[in-house]
Amino acid sequence: MLFICSAFVYAERTLNFVSLLNGADTAAETGTKNYSFVGQSVVFDTKEASDYISQSSFASVFRVSQSDQIEFTNNTGSEDFTDINIQLNVTIKTTAGSNIEKIRYRIWQGENADWYDYETSPEIDWTDFTPGTTVTFSPTVSFTEGKTKNYFRVYAQLADGTTKRWSDDYTVNISESLSDIIEITSPEKLYVNGEILAITNPLIETKTYSINLTTATVALYEGTSSAGTEIYNVILSASTNPDYKMYDTDAGKISYNHSDFIAVYNKIEGKSLPLTLTENKVYTLVVTTTAGSDSITFKALGGGVADVLTYPSPFNPKKEKIKIRYLLAKDANVTIKIYDKAGKFVAKVIQSESRNAGSNEDEWDGKNYAGNSLATGPYICEVIAKGSNGENRRYTAFALVN
């Protein structure tokens, strides 16, 4: 059979038939493969590990057969995501009897994916996995603001070095409304007995995906609405006194620690406001931009451990783990213990682990210190925080259904 080929530049890159014929996966790899194709002059792009044949001189496109012993199942989801930080989720399985040893992926942000553009969409090695015959590919990718349709593909290679495959192209859709929203993310809108709780020195933070927002107003009131007593009302913009250091106009995100901001506010405005909020008082935070506004009413709690919430309750350890969320007034070393209804110690969730001031969350699988599942019934969770303000403890009850 006569093979006609020629190497020439496509997309500012020399594509070489010989490198493909020799079985190269990338420019740095070599190998041996057998290929067959219709007798036409073709252009081969061998940089991608898929051995993708990019384009034919006669407008034909070929793809070299990949191993059918590797399967991909995309579990990422097809709905419009309301966050630009997306955790991809693809299950990779092989029936070849050899472990999956290498995983790569590529991301294309925006429509009209051009997989021959390696500068925009390079191959990325993903190493956060344990080799096996089944692997979950699960990196978190931050997609670009304003690009609502995006793509990714995944590559897997077995230990033998020859069994390999690229997945199909998977789509990630980002909600168009993200460019028009602003949302307060801290204090968290987590209700406890009908109230949102925060520490007396909370982190104030928003998230927004608009790259066009250049100004914002942040106001805090004592009371259940903006009709209460105004504590501060600051208009932020690129020209705002830089000492405030609470608004990044490029990221469109507001973030500041209450006490740090008040110290600067007092200096700039000639005020003498206390650096922390008053324990057990209710406050309303309002953030407004040209895209809209968001508000939150919360109660400030003092003490080393301001509050503890366990959810869901009751919980079934065969289906899920129970989440233990708690608020710390200051950085502390935290220990979490579980007791039965008789007060007998049955499990330790964490032991003297460092946690930051503010909201924290740990999980428990419903098993005792010996690794055995506990019986159905009521239990008590104890959170112990040791820090610069001494040792503080909080308790809450929950139910376990096994």
Side-chain angles (χ1 to χ4, degrees):
M1 181 180 289
L2 176 63
F3 292 90
I4 304 172
C5 67
S6 59
F8 63 99
V9 175
Y10 172 74
E12 299 182 354
R13 190 170 68 256
T14 299
L15 308 179
N16 198 311
F17 170 78
V18 176
S19 61
L20 177 63
L21 190 60
N22 288 337
D25 287 332
T26 68
E29 291 187 9
T30 60
T32 302
K33 293 187 180 70
N34 295 315
Y35 296 91
S36 61
F37 50 86
V38 178
Q40 293 182 343
S41 179
V42 294
V43 179
F44 295 87
D45 182 350
T46 63
K47 182 174 181 179
E48 185 174 10
S50 62
D51 297 323
Y52 202 101
I53 305 175
S54 65
Q55 208 174 54
S56 162
S57 299
F58 300 104
S60 298
V61 178
F62 299 88
R63 187 163 188 167
V64 173
S65 177
Q66 302 180 91
S67 174
D68 59 4
Q69 293 179 300
I70 299 177
E71 299 176 353
F72 300 90
T73 303
N74 181 25
N75 307 305
T76 304
S78 58
E79 74 280 2
D80 288 358
F81 289 94
T82 56
D83 194 338
I84 58 173
N85 300 307
I86 308 299
Q87 184 176 40
L88 309 180
N89 188 313
V90 177
T91 301
I92 309 173
K93 293 183 178 180
T94 177
T95 58
S98 179
N99 284 341
I100 299 167
E101 293 283 351
K102 180 185 291 184
I103 297 177
R104 294 173 179 160
Y105 66 103
R106 296 182 66 188
I107 301 293
W108 183 269
Q109 307 212 40
E111 296 190 55
N112 303 317
D114 180 4
W115 297 116
Y116 303 107
D117 183 350
Y118 286 90
E119 292 185 4
T120 303
S121 175
E123 291 183 7
I124 303 171
D125 285 322
W126 190 67
T127 59
D128 189 19
F129 73 97
T130 300
T133 56
T134 300
V135 173
T136 299
F137 169 77
S138 57
T140 297
V141 176
S142 296
F143 288 90
T144 303
E145 301 160 353
K147 294 187 176 180
T148 58
K149 194 167 186 178
N150 308 275
Y151 304 90
F152 73 97
R153 53 169 54 174
V154 188
Y155 169 79
Q157 178 178 308
L158 303 192
D160 59 19
T162 59
T163 306
K164 57 191 71 174
R165 187 180 184 88
W166 274 93
S167 71
D168 294 332
D169 294 351
Y170 301 129
T171 305
V172 175
N173 296 316
I174 307 295
S175 173
E176 293 183 3
S177 64
L178 289 182
S179 61
D180 297 321
I181 67 171
I182 185 163
E183 179 183 349
I184 297 171
T185 56
S186 184
E188 294 181 82
K189 295 178 181 179
L190 180 67
Y191 287 88
V192 180
N193 297 324
E195 292 183 306
I196 295 175
L197 307 179
I199 60 177
T200 56
N201 184 22
L203 171 70
I204 306 298
E205 191 167 76
T206 69
K207 68 174 181 180
T208 179
Y209 305 109
S210 174
I211 59 177
N212 299 316
L213 295 180
T214 56
T215 62
T217 299
V218 182
L220 183 68
Y221 305 89
E222 182 183 315
T224 57
S225 70
S226 57
T229 303
E230 182 181 288
I231 298 175
Y232 60 79
N233 190 318
V234 177
I235 298 176
L236 304 171
S237 69
S239 60
T240 299
N241 190 317
D243 288 338
Y244 275 125
K245 296 179 181 177
M246 59 192 291
Y247 185 48
D248 183 341
T249 55
D250 292 330
K253 181 178 181 178
I254 298 166
S255 182
Y256 62 94
N257 181 274
H258 175 80
S259 62
D260 292 341
F261 166 70
I262 291 298
V264 174
Y265 180 83
N266 286 342
K267 179 181 178 181
I268 295 174
E269 305 294 337
K271 305 286 186 178
S272 57
L273 297 173
L275 297 183
T276 58
L277 301 176
T278 302
E279 184 176 346
N280 293 322
K281 280 194 174 182
V282 174
Y283 297 87
T284 298
L285 174 70
V286 181
V287 179
T288 305
T289 72
T290 54
S293 66
D294 193 20
S295 64
I296 180 174
T297 298
F298 61 91
K299 183 178 182 180
L301 296 179
V305 184
D307 198 76
V308 178
L309 173 69
T310 54
Y311 65 98
S313 179
F315 92 103
N316 185 342
K318 294 179 180 178
K319 297 181 179 180
E320 60 195 336
K321 294 181 179 180
I322 191 168
K323 299 182 186 298
I324 304 167
R325 183 168 292 189
Y326 49 96
L327 295 169
L328 298 180
K330 296 183 178 181
D331 294 354
N333 290 324
V334 175
T335 297
I336 300 178
K337 297 180 178 180
I338 307 296
Y339 301 86
D340 63 17
K341 63 181 180 181
K344 179 182 177 182
F345 168 69
V346 293
K348 187 176 293 181
V349 180
I350 59 172
Q351 172 67 46
S352 192
E353 293 191 12
S354 177
R355 296 291 185 267
N356 295 326
S359 178
N360 292 270
E361 185 175 279
D362 289 287
E363 294 182 332
W364 179 53
D365 60 7
K367 296 181 179 179
N368 63 16
Y369 52 83
N372 300 319
S373 297
L374 292 173
T376 296
Y379 291 86
I380 298 170
C381 174
E382 178 187 43
V383 178
I384 308 169
K386 293 183 179 180
S388 59
N389 56 348
E391 181 177 296
N392 295 270
R393 298 169 183 255
R394 281 269 183 169
Y395 300 86
T396 191
F398 64 92
L400 184 153
V401 179
N402 206 336

